[in-house]
Amino acid sequence: MAQPLLQLDNLSKSFGGLQCISHLDIDVREGEVVSVIGPNGAGKTTLFNLITGMYRPDAGDIRLDGESIVGLAPHKITNRGVARTFQTLRLFLNMSVKDNVMAATYGRTHASLLESILRLPRARREERESNELAQEKLSFFGQRLMGYRWNQPAYSLSYANRRRLEIARATATKPRILLLDEPAAGMNPVETHEITELIGELRKDGGYTILVIEHDMHVVEGISDRVIALDHGEKIAEGTYEQVATNPRVVEAYLGTSATERK
Amino acid sequence: MSEQTPQPERSGPAIGADEWVARSGERAERRGGVVGRVQGLYDRMPKPAVFALAVLLAALIPVLTAQTDNDIYFLRVGTVALVFALLALGLNVAVGFAGLLDLGYIAYYGIGAYGYAFLSSDKFGVHWQAWLVLPLVVAVSALLGLLLALPSRRLVGDYLAIVTLFFGQIFYIVVTQGYRVSLLGLNKDLGLDRANWDLTGGPNGIANVDRLGVFGLHASSERAFFYITLTAVVVVFAALTLANRSRTGRAWRALNDDTLAAQAMSMPVNWLKLLAVAVGAAVAALAGTINAALLQGAFPDDYNTQVLIIIYAMVILGGAGSLTGAVLGAFVVSVLMLEGLRPQTPIGDFTGNGRWVFYAGILVVLVAAIRPWRRLAAILAGIVAFGVVVHGIVAVTTERGTDGLLNTGPDEYSDGGPLGWLIRHWLALPAGTYEVGSRNWFNFALVVLIALVLCLTVVKGWVRDALIVPTVWLAGFVWETRLAEETSGPTRLLLLGAILVGLMIARPQGLLGRPRVEIV
């Protein structure tokens, strides 16, 4: 089998005495959609923070396409092709919708400040390309983020549209792997259903490899090639949705020991 | 992909409830009063046209003025305002764009001035040409900005403010103490004649600095200086406008909103912070060189914390993040607060302007803050009536209680002309107002005024409307009896503080700033 795109090798992270991630091995292959599930505090978001360089692991290695990305600054990791969204939305609230997406092209553009001020050819070309890219990424969501919304500040968007804008912004960094942190959190059933389809489209049309944290089991069932269950920073199950959902250890982690016993 | 093909539409007629809801914020913003209407008008005008018009008008000022003493003074006021506009533009990069509370900014202004003074004055007998000195000083200042920002690049908010304030203070101490430098006791061996080598001239600064000169042509007239400074402002304004629209400008605004997310979205935040400080430092140094050439000297008190606070006041008043706002703030504060309140102008005969600035300021605040107009009319009528009644009562009950004159210049009192007559019949100024013994009374009135203003901030509704009447009257009284004669020093800062407090309550985003949302 070909080399996995993202490879976590014996990864560990603790804060003081709290072991958040311990000896975790995860492989994500190109083109796959992998869901990470687990009860609150299982270490899912910490896992994302480790991959994107927000935290540095205590031990273990993270390899992207065979190359270690441990110790790189977050923006460099993003430039290598890892982009994420945040569980608690972190948009640039006071910037316009389009500027939010265009800002994320920073790592892919190179015109210096002086070139931009003098409007030299490279700066103009990059600006045009960023603009087109932003329109393309925003058009992914139909009419929702188009037209008059472009110039509105991000804070004027509804909650669901903010989630969409975060995804658009992440894809504007041209990632190879997209980390989505609870994309359906706080959405109503219709929107949740839409997100499920959207993730499918992201893989199909966008060609992204996707690692997603999700609590909504319908979403997980709908999108995942593979599901990984975490508890207390350890992998307790891995496999297809059916395999993981019926795994006694997973049921135990979510519902407690007695639940399995009563069954 | 969705079934609809995205059809971008820039603007146009409102389509459906969705857009109506989305634009409710804009409408709410537009509704409000006179300030709102002026803002609306400004918003509708095309920006390049506004820019060209403003530059044209400014460029016409020296042409339209003759070369009398008064006109020269006017031009000087304009040039100083333009220097402050430069400073406000530069500060806006770090504070308004990138959101860094940089309190060391004043040092770069000073570095520009002293750098120019070192290289173009009799101090060391060096007289380099301006075209050589200017880029050099600006580059050195930008580099110093990078270096000084390097140790504090990870700091945010209050921590950054304290560290950078420390740099600013160090600069001031170095220039005021720099007249007795001992280079490890090696002064003699280094060919310096004294044990205490004079580098910066200490508190006296460096005098006899050259005018800006290029190829032997020296800008000696006020007009030339005005145009040089105007050119600098136009170039910096245009450059910063383009910078703000570029990838770097977007990145600055992004890290201002959310540094962590900016990092995750491929922006090298530490480098961007350094860059913002360095760009600001370069602009400040440019302003410093112009200022040194304008004053023909570099003096430490032009580069102390008080000046820094005034520049901050300009940026905050205009609206942090708005370049036009920075220029507007610089003009309002510089022309009205610094020059308008001068008791006596150095050239020309403009005295006692402070009075009109003061009353006009109060009127503007009332008009802007009180809606609808019926309420405003009632309050204004109340203010006039209150004054006339108090004047009548005092005139009847005391002997000389209303015989006081107006202070129209240093140690100069007169009836102040027709407008002065109105003021004297509105207020009740006792005769002998300015005798030393009676001052305690007026100090007491000042304390009461401050207490009244504080009360205004906590009461609401008709109580507040009623309280505004005696407050305004008392403000006039305190102005005439106490503040008018001290307009240069504490009064100026007191009024500046009052204006900023009022602004924070009425329009926290500044005159032209956009309201910021931190958490939704």
Side-chain angles (χ1 to χ4, degrees):
Chain A
M1 187 167 283
Q3 188 175 36
L5 180 61
L6 182 74
Q7 196 173 19
L8 311 185
D9 184 9
N10 198 23
L11 200 66
S12 293
K13 176 72 186 175
S14 63
F15 294 102
L18 183 69
Q19 189 77 29
C20 281
I21 298 283
S22 61
H23 308 292
L24 192 62
D25 296 306
I26 292 180
D27 288 350
V28 181
R29 283 182 293 276
E30 185 111 40
E32 243 185 339
V33 176
V34 177
S35 294
V36 179
I37 63 169
N40 289 329
K44 302 183 298 292
T45 298
T46 303
L47 175 67
F48 272 24
N49 285 336
L50 285 168
I51 298 172
T52 53
M54 305 274 166
Y55 300 147
R56 214 193 147 105
D58 299 334
D61 200 7
I62 304 169
R63 281 187 292 272
L64 185 71
D65 219 7
E67 275 179 68
S68 176
I69 54 171
V70 170
L72 288 180
H75 70 270
K76 289 196 174 140
I77 292 178
T78 308
N79 281 339
R80 295 266 180 111
V82 181
R84 71 174 290 183
T85 66
F86 294 89
Q87 182 184 2
T88 53
L89 291 163
R90 304 194 75 137
L91 287 169
F92 308 128
L93 285 176
N94 293 291
M95 292 168 70
S96 73
V97 167
K98 200 155 121 192
D99 274 359
N100 262 275
V101 184
M102 285 177 77
T105 63
Y106 190 92
R108 299 278 161 191
T109 47
H110 304 94
S112 69
L113 183 58
L114 199 64
E115 284 176 271
S116 297
I117 289 173
L118 298 175
R119 295 180 62 99
L120 295 183
R122 177 158 78 153
R124 290 219 303 270
R125 178 171 50 77
E126 284 181 354
E127 195 68 9
R128 203 173 51 240
E129 285 167 3
S130 295
N131 201 356
E132 281 161 8
L133 185 75
Q135 294 184 18
E136 182 200 321
K137 297 303 173 196
L138 286 170
S139 71
F140 206 84
F141 302 91
Q143 287 296 322
R144 285 217 171 75
L145 298 174
M146 297 300 281
Y148 68 92
R149 287 217 198 269
W150 282 348
N151 297 320
Q152 288 189 332
Y155 65 68
S156 71
L157 292 180
S158 71
Y159 188 83
N161 272 341
R162 287 184 199 188
R163 286 236 172 262
R164 296 184 184 109
L165 180 56
E166 265 222 339
I167 294 172
R169 186 179 69 172
T171 55
T173 65
K174 294 195 180 169
R176 304 178 63 186
I177 180 162
L178 201 53
L179 312 183
L180 304 176
D181 197 345
E182 296 204 25
M187 295 220 172
N188 67 34
V190 178
E191 290 163 341
T192 305
H193 178 69
E194 217 174 287
I195 282 285
T196 312
E197 293 188 341
L198 180 90
I199 291 171
E201 279 169 23
L202 278 173
R203 170 169 56 174
K204 201 164 84 234
D205 301 338
Y208 303 113
T209 306
I210 296 169
L211 185 63
V212 55
I213 294 175
E214 191 46 70
H215 275 301
D216 190 314
M217 281 307 172
H218 295 296
V219 176
V220 174
E221 186 178 7
I223 58 173
S224 315
D225 295 328
R226 209 142 50 86
V227 179
I228 292 166
L230 292 187
D231 192 25
H232 299 297
E234 288 175 42
K235 183 157 75 179
I236 53 172
E238 182 173 358
T240 62
Y241 173 76
E242 286 75 18
Q243 287 168 344
V244 173
T246 53
N247 185 309
R249 285 189 72 191
V250 176
V251 178
E252 184 191 317
Y254 271 96
L255 302 174
T257 329
S258 53
T260 36
E261 281 169 358
R262 262 182 224 137
K263 220 172 165 189
Chain B
M1 191 57 77
S2 168
E3 65 282 359
Q4 304 134 304
T5 0
Q7 203 60 299
E9 35 165 303
R10 294 232 158 250
S11 62
I15 32 157
D18 197 21
E19 175 159 7
W20 191 85
V21 171
R23 288 198 170 154
S24 67
E26 281 175 52
R27 282 196 308 280
E29 178 77 356
R30 266 197 207 130
R31 263 200 300 271
V34 175
V35 177
R37 241 165 267 164
V38 172
Q39 170 107 22
L41 188 71
Y42 173 79
D43 283 344
R44 278 194 296 278
M45 283 161 76
K47 291 294 159 291
V50 176
F51 183 63
L53 195 69
V55 173
L56 192 71
L57 282 179
L60 278 178
I61 292 172
V63 181
L64 293 176
T65 52
Q67 289 294 299
T68 65
D69 282 355
N70 281 347
D71 289 343
I72 287 176
Y73 170 66
F74 261 136
L75 270 188
R76 174 60 69 98
V77 171
T79 312
V80 170
L82 286 171
V83 171
F84 274 115
L86 266 186
L87 286 169
L89 285 173
L91 186 64
N92 195 41
V93 176
V95 175
F97 292 166
L100 306 169
L101 198 54
D102 177 12
L103 295 181
Y105 182 71
I106 196 72
Y108 308 116
Y109 183 34
I111 285 165
Y114 275 87
Y116 181 74
F118 287 150
L119 297 175
S120 290
S121 76
D122 297 335
K123 181 76 183 171
F124 301 114
V126 185
H127 294 277
W128 286 7
Q129 301 264 332
W131 59 267
L132 195 62
V133 179
L134 263 165
L136 185 70
V137 168
V138 167
V140 166
S141 177
L143 206 63
L144 266 169
L146 275 184
L147 285 179
L148 290 186
L150 206 55
S152 46
R153 69 189 185 281
R154 286 180 204 281
L155 301 177
V156 287
D158 312 349
Y159 302 91
L160 180 72
I162 289 170
V163 171
T164 50
L165 180 65
F166 167 76
F167 287 136
Q169 287 296 302
I170 289 231
F171 173 80
Y172 184 70
I173 289 168
V174 165
V175 291
T176 47
Q177 301 298 317
Y179 63 97
R180 43 178 186 184
V181 180
S182 170
L183 297 173
L184 302 170
L186 295 172
N187 285 17
K188 278 224 171 82
D189 305 322
L190 291 168
L192 304 169
D193 44 358
R194 276 183 293 160
N196 292 325
W197 179 47
D198 182 1
L199 176 68
T200 64
N204 295 328
I206 300 172
N208 294 325
V209 172
D210 299 349
R211 296 289 210 171
L212 285 171
V214 180
F215 304 118
L217 288 169
H218 285 264
S220 50
S221 74
E222 289 294 331
R223 272 185 185 176
F225 256 105
F226 184 88
Y227 281 123
I228 289 172
T229 320
L230 181 65
T231 312
V233 171
V234 169
V235 168
V236 168
F237 188 94
L240 292 183
T241 305
L242 291 172
N244 189 28
R245 283 185 203 156
S246 73
R247 65 194 273 271
T248 315
R250 274 193 299 272
W252 279 334
R253 281 179 283 143
L255 81 95
N256 186 1
D257 264 355
D258 192 327
T259 311
L260 190 92
Q263 255 179 323
M265 291 302 131
S266 79
M267 286 166 253
V269 292
N270 287 341
W271 160 247
L272 286 163
K273 284 184 190 176
L274 297 188
L275 193 62
V277 172
V279 169
V283 177
L286 178 65
T289 52
I290 292 175
N291 198 44
L294 182 71
L295 302 175
Q296 289 183 275
F299 311 109
D301 283 344
D302 290 337
Y303 310 101
N304 62 16
T305 309
Q306 196 180 331
V307 180
L308 176 74
I309 300 298
I310 289 173
I311 304 169
Y312 260 93
M314 291 164 173
V315 172
I316 293 168
L317 186 74
S322 161
L323 292 171
T324 324
V327 175
L328 182 73
F331 269 81
V332 169
V333 173
S334 166
V335 174
L336 295 183
M337 304 306 297
L338 304 183
E339 293 299 332
L341 293 182
R342 241 183 234 284
Q344 193 180 27
T345 53
I347 336 167
D349 57 358
F350 291 91
T351 47
N353 288 325
R355 172 168 295 112
W356 309 120
V357 173
F358 182 75
Y359 290 122
I362 289 179
L363 195 65
V364 166
V365 169
L366 289 180
V367 169
I370 298 174
R371 286 188 289 271
W373 66 270
R374 283 185 200 84
R375 215 172 117 226
L376 175 69
I379 288 174
L380 288 179
I383 290 169
V384 172
F386 182 85
V388 172
V389 169
V390 170
H391 181 92
I393 293 172
V394 173
V396 172
T397 52
T398 63
E399 203 172 322
R400 301 194 306 145
T402 55
D403 293 346
L405 295 173
L406 300 183
N407 178 319
T408 49
D411 297 322
E412 191 187 299
Y413 304 99
S414 71
D415 59 6
L419 283 169
W421 183 88
L422 286 178
I423 289 177
R424 283 184 298 117
H425 284 77
W426 173 56
L427 296 170
L429 301 174
T433 301
Y434 313 102
E435 285 160 20
V436 179
S438 63
R439 281 202 175 154
N440 291 335
W441 259 101
F442 306 133
N443 288 341
F444 178 69
L446 176 61
V447 174
V448 173
L449 174 65
I450 292 171
L452 273 180
V453 172
L454 290 179
C455 286
L456 271 182
T457 59
V458 289
V459 295
K460 279 180 182 165
W462 67 270
V463 183
R464 179 163 63 182
D465 291 355
L467 201 58
I468 288 173
V469 173
T471 309
V472 171
W473 185 85
L474 195 64
F477 182 75
V478 169
W479 172 266
E480 298 299 347
T481 55
R482 194 74 191 89
L483 299 181
E485 52 186 335
E486 287 175 4
T487 47
S488 55
T491 301
R492 196 189 273 175
L493 290 176
L494 201 70
L495 289 182
L496 201 57
I499 286 179
L500 288 180
V501 170
L503 186 80
M504 276 298 111
I505 295 167
R507 203 174 158 79
Q509 71 268 36
L511 293 176
L512 295 181
R514 281 160 175 267
R516 285 184 65 80
V517 175
E518 298 296 343
I519 304 164
V520 186

